Amino acid sequence: MSYNSLEEIVRECQEKDLPFDEVILLDDMNERNVSREESIETMRGMWEAMKGAERNYDGSLQSRSGLVGGAGKTMRAYVESGNTLCGPFVGKVMASALAMGESNACMKRIVAAPTAGACGVLPAALVPWFKHKKGNTEEILDAMYTAAGIGQVIALRASISGARGGCQAEIGTASAMTAGAMVCLKGGTPEQIIHA
């Protein structure tokens, strides 16, 4: 990645009059020496894997240790009861996050975003958003490029490893990526994205 800070990305956005996600897409094309279409297809594959992990969640599975399993199913049932404290959308986000984490613990296919330990955060926001808004895939891919740019800067400057930086390195990074992605989905500016 050619950017050492979020501020550098914002400057590039301003200088070239491009959105945050486009700057990251162009950087990916340059770094991996791929075409626009190849870059987008790679990102689309990750999006399809996120949706697949959500769709294929099996709440009856337990991790080998027996410590993980069923919480996503329980949360989904709670949301469907219509009596949630946080409302149905936030309830769906929480159920999705639990389901992704359980899928990881049960060795199912997930997307490390940015790590397997934090795999539930980004899809937990994007998949319910997509369903709720009956969104289009291109908007989600833009949000994922935005998230990727944020994650790359953090990985370069700090750490995304829970073993090295503690839970905040993984979950904090995933939360920052997701906040930026959600601001992107709402049409926020590059400055608003990095402040999120």
Side-chain angles (χ1 to χ4, degrees):
M1 178 171 173
S2 56
Y3 300 104
N4 293 309
S5 71
L6 296 175
E7 291 81 6
E8 281 184 32
I9 298 171
V10 170
R11 269 196 305 278
E12 186 84 359
C13 293
Q14 292 166 342
E15 289 171 8
K16 295 190 175 173
D17 194 27
L18 294 172
F20 196 99
D21 55 272
E22 179 69 14
V23 168
I24 303 307
L25 168 60
L26 293 171
D27 187 61
D28 180 55
M29 291 167 53
N30 182 56
E31 183 175 307
R32 295 191 307 122
N33 195 29
V34 296
S35 69
R36 171 179 287 276
E37 293 75 23
E38 289 170 312
S39 177
I40 291 170
E41 281 311 304
T42 298
M43 192 64 79
R44 187 182 311 275
M46 286 186 257
W47 171 236
E48 291 302 322
M50 285 180 185
K51 290 191 305 181
E54 171 79 13
R55 185 175 50 251
N56 298 322
Y57 167 69
D58 182 351
S60 68
L61 293 178
Q62 294 282 314
S63 65
R64 291 190 82 190
S65 68
L67 296 174
V68 176
K73 180 180 176 182
T74 301
M75 188 65 189
R76 283 181 177 175
Y78 175 60
V79 171
E80 290 169 11
S81 77
N83 191 28
T84 60
L85 181 63
C86 297
F89 181 75
V90 173
K92 288 175 185 175
V93 168
M94 290 188 285
S96 183
L98 289 166
M100 290 303 111
E102 288 176 27
S103 294
N104 177 43
C106 294
M107 304 305 290
K108 296 296 181 183
R109 185 175 188 212
I110 51 93
V111 176
T115 62
C119 70
V121 180
L122 185 61
L126 294 183
V127 173
W129 172 273
F130 184 76
K131 290 177 182 176
H132 177 72
K133 295 290 186 179
K134 298 177 180 44
N136 71 50
T137 300
E138 285 67 36
E139 289 176 339
I140 294 292
L141 297 180
D142 292 347
M144 289 177 66
Y145 276 107
T146 298
I150 293 166
Q152 287 176 334
V153 168
I154 295 170
L156 177 71
R157 296 188 60 153
S159 177
I160 60 171
S161 166
R164 184 170 172 228
C167 293
Q168 187 63 24
E170 284 186 281
I171 297 297
T173 300
S175 297
M177 292 167 62
T178 303
M182 297 309 288
V183 171
C184 174
L185 285 170
K186 292 293 284 177
T189 66
E191 293 86 354
Q192 290 169 326
I193 287 168
I194 68 167
H195 285 289

